Amino acid sequence: MSELFLTVLNMSLTASYVIVFVILIRFLLKKAPKVISYALWGVVAFRLLIPFSFESMFSLMPRNTNAVPIPQDIIYQQIPQINSGIKVVDSFVNNSFPAPTIGASVNPLQIYVEMGAYIWVLGIIALLVYSLISILTLKRRLKSAQLIEKNIFEAKNLKTPFVLGLISPKIYLPYRLNAIERSYILLHEQTHIHRKDHIIKILGFLILSVHWFNPLVWIAFMLMSADMELSCDERVLKEMNEDIKKPYANSLLSLATGEYIFNCNPLAFGEGNVKGRIKNVLNYKKPRFWVVVLAAIVALAIGIGLLVNPGVNSSIPRLITGYMVIEDDLLYIDEVEIIYREDTERIEELEELGESITTPSGYHIYNPDTDKQTFKITKETTYTFVDYSFLFLEDGVADRLYTTTNKEEFMLHLDESYSDSPPAQKVPFFIEVKDGKVISITEKIEFTI
């Protein structure tokens, strides 16, 4: 469960950057139709739900970051570190990690992550139970509602209209509405159903329940709900083809007073942000065509930029030497320094620091700590290794070096050659990485066992 919790933390951290970006863009697009701001929240939902994405040089996400900001093996690191690509965040978080206790069998961070995972699950359960109780309470209040046509009901004990239901959504109206008021309120609620807002809002709440520990996700959910209502109001004003701004605003005010409906499931006509909605209705003007087109282009470009990760051309490849572990599509490497007998200056330098350097095989592997870095293995990753057992080469090949992009072949080689020390190997491998991805893995003959 700790691994799942760390995966959710990674998604939440990445999505936090997107949320801040969308909030800023939402402010810049305040003159544009609200449906454009509403659509941008889809990018946030993607980042909160999907732990990976495509890569592009047009990405607006932070550069020089690992595929996963929080490595899965962070609980085993002597000096735990994250790499979100945002220095301020990294510095604050890294400085907050507890220092390891020398001689202790368990890293304190391992205990904290385990406890955090249990608290995280309890938070999800609490929110879902609260949601279920609220829905059951509301349904009990609706037993006296009268069907007036199709999926439209009227109830005397309601003060605000709303939509309830997932597969067959129903519209519930207060009993006291006059004919004119009912016409645009019905249009508002029917617009919600037509746009599948009743499903989107429930999905949004479920995502919020998973990321409940992130205050930015709560803000995103509230702003998404506000944009949903504002854009729906604008649709009603546009469809009615007459000046109903004042009576519509009056209805918002009267229907929103004194009634609270749980915000996660029903889509209430008068719920939340009443002041903002009335102001938006009274100031509404049909936007010019070029304004809509320009805003849509800007939102589309920004949305794509936030959906994709930084491209492969955004940084220079580098070579890391170290002990590696491969789990699924992730490579964890504990970097080492190889000091040859001829590196006399470096040997003297380390010996002055109290290090004991011996070179019985002509080299010394210097590993001052056990910090691990994490990179993603792709289908393009190249593996070059010494095929001692002739698993893939024909007998007689002098150097026995075999190169492939087949990960299964490489894993079979590791199992055959290092079966006594899984999952890590006792020899260093040479890893070429770029933008958080592994370009190549090379095993050199002088370090094989």
Side-chain angles (χ1 to χ4, degrees), residues 26 30 32-41 187-189 191-192 195-197 200 223-239 248 252 267 269 273 276-278 280-281 284 287:
R26 182 178 178 271
K30 61 181 180 181
K34 302 304 178 190
V35 68
I36 294 177
S37 300
Y38 179 37
L40 278 174
W41 293 112
L187 178 57
H188 179 103
E189 303 302 340
T191 300
H192 275 316
R195 300 192 318 185
K196 310 299 181 190
D197 284 347
I200 293 173
L223 292 178
M224 183 276 292
S225 300
D227 287 341
M228 176 187 288
E229 295 300 325
L230 292 172
S231 62
C232 210
D233 290 338
E234 291 182 352
R235 180 67 180 272
V236 172
L237 295 172
K238 182 181 176 182
E239 291 290 324
Y248 192 84
L252 284 175
L267 299 174
F269 177 78
N273 192 29
R277 290 181 63 189
I278 291 175
N280 190 57
V281 166
Y284 175 77

Side-chain angles (χ1 to χ4, degrees), residues 186-216:
L186 267 179
L187 178 57
H188 179 103
E189 303 302 340
Q190 287 166 344
T191 300
H192 275 316
I193 295 176
H194 177 73
R195 300 192 318 185
K196 310 299 181 190
D197 284 347
H198 58 294
I199 298 175
I200 293 173
K201 198 163 186 178
I202 293 175
L203 177 61
F205 180 77
L206 292 176
I207 295 174
L208 172 68
S209 299
V210 173
H211 296 268
W212 61 266
F213 53 84
N214 187 339
L216 282 174

Side-chain angles (χ1 to χ4, degrees), residues 234-388:
E234 291 182 352
R235 180 67 180 272
V236 172
L237 295 172
K238 182 181 176 182
E239 291 290 324
M240 293 299 284
N241 290 321
E242 55 184 292
D243 188 8
I244 61 164
K245 290 195 287 188
K246 287 187 177 178
Y248 192 84
N250 286 333
S251 296
L252 284 175
L253 183 62
S254 62
L255 294 173
T257 54
E259 182 81 359
Y260 175 74
I261 293 181
F262 184 57
N263 206 27
C264 81
N265 187 35
L267 299 174
F269 177 78
E271 71 178 57
N273 192 29
V274 176
K275 184 178 178 180
R277 290 181 63 189
I278 291 175
K279 187 178 178 181
N280 190 57
V281 166
L282 294 176
N283 293 331
Y284 175 77
K285 292 179 182 177
K286 189 175 180 180
R288 294 181 180 179
F289 177 75
W290 67 268
V291 173
V292 177
V293 172
L294 181 62
I297 292 174
V298 171
L300 181 63
I302 292 172
I304 293 174
L306 294 173
L307 275 176
V308 296
N309 290 329
V312 294
N313 296 322
S314 60
S315 63
I316 301 172
R318 64 190 178 102
L319 185 66
I320 302 175
T321 303
Y323 302 122
M324 68 170 193
V325 175
I326 295 177
E327 293 180 354
D328 298 324
D329 289 332
L330 294 178
L331 180 144
Y332 306 96
I333 183 166
D334 181 12
E335 190 167 6
V336 302
E337 177 185 359
I338 298 177
I339 302 171
Y340 292 93
R341 188 175 296 162
E342 295 78 17
D343 301 330
T344 53
E345 291 186 5
R346 179 58 174 157
I347 293 174
E348 291 175 359
E349 181 183 19
L350 290 173
E351 286 180 341
E352 288 177 0
L353 295 174
E355 300 289 344
S356 176
I357 306 298
T358 56
T359 57
S361 301
Y363 62 87
H364 177 87
I365 296 178
Y366 180 57
N367 181 219
D369 54 52
T370 56
D371 283 357
K372 290 184 176 62
Q373 302 175 61
T374 308
F375 300 96
K376 186 176 181 180
I377 292 176
T378 70
K379 293 181 179 178
E380 289 74 35
T381 299
T382 301
Y383 310 89
T384 299
F385 53 88
V386 183
D387 187 15
Y388 263 116

